[in-house]
Amino acid sequence: QITLKESGPTLVKPTQTLTLTCTFSGFSLSTSGVGVGWIRQPPGKALEWLALIYWDDDKRYSPSLKSRLTITKDSSKNQVVLTMTDMDPVDTGTYYCAHSVRARTDVWGKGTTVTVSS
Amino acid sequence: EIVMTQSPATLSVSPGERATLSCRASQSVSSNLAWYQQKPGQAPRLLIYGASTRATDIPPTFSGSGSGTEFTLTISSLQSEDFAVYYCHQYNNGYTFGQGTKLEIK
């Protein structure tokens, strides 16, 4: 059974850097075709795709947020980390990590809520 | 970046009736299109991938069709648990979501 869980701060101040960790089980990020991605959702709004890292360390980013995002993996620890710099109140929302196979996203974590406020 | 446009924004349908949701891509995404269902306070759930393949444990009341730039999600006979927000998602060239369709009880 594939499971993913997001963790990180619930509150960050404007201009700070957000670091989120996705800890997963039930699959290996060393398996060909497998990836882990991040998606976010502002309160009451639509989903927004952020970033994805593949088993071979190929990394993909949202074009509009690329300059602020970094995604890394530690396959031995079954973890993927997303950092987002220069946080702003508009970045408030729920952040999800999700399992991906051959580019399609199938299993999601429950999400973690991040509020950006001074 | 490929833009995904869903219509309508809100769809009101009576239980037992059929619902048809649309998703249009700004350029071809081949069949690399998924549909998700999201209920309040929950993470999205994968319903359809490859435009028409149902995900594991998804009942046959859900069906997807289309290719290229025009896609449809059909729910053949609405149950109370089907009222939710539905998102389309392309993973052919980059990755983008539509803005969602809220399916509400009429």
Side-chain angles (χ1 to χ4, degrees), chain A residues 40 48-50 62-69 84 91:
Chain A
R40 72 178 179 179
E48 180 182 17
W49 187 89
L50 299 177
S62 164
S64 61
L65 293 168
K66 185 175 183 178
S67 63
R68 299 174 54 204
L69 296 174
M84 179 179 290
D91 297 313

Side-chain angles (χ1 to χ4, degrees), chain B residues 23-105:
Chain B
C23 175
R24 174 177 292 178
S26 61
Q27 64 188 76
S28 177
V29 299
S30 186
S31 294
N32 295 313
L33 189 286
W35 289 94
Y36 299 89
Q37 177 193 70
Q38 187 179 33
K39 297 179 180 179
Q42 296 185 16
R45 177 175 70 143
L46 177 66
L47 300 174
I48 301 286
Y49 64 91
S52 61
T53 302
R54 275 189 303 277
T56 303
D57 296 331
I58 301 302
T61 52
F62 290 89
S63 62
S65 63
S67 66
T69 61
E70 300 283 344
F71 300 89
T72 300
L73 174 70
T74 302
I75 310 169
S76 62
S77 179
L78 281 164
Q79 307 298 308
S80 58
E81 62 267 26
D82 299 331
F83 292 95
V85 179
Y86 292 83
Y87 293 95
C88 63
H89 170 54
Q90 71 83 16
Y91 49 95
N92 186 69
N93 183 352
Y95 311 83
T96 45
F97 288 93
Q99 81 279 16
T101 290
K102 181 179 181 180
L103 181 56
E104 64 177 26
I105 300 175

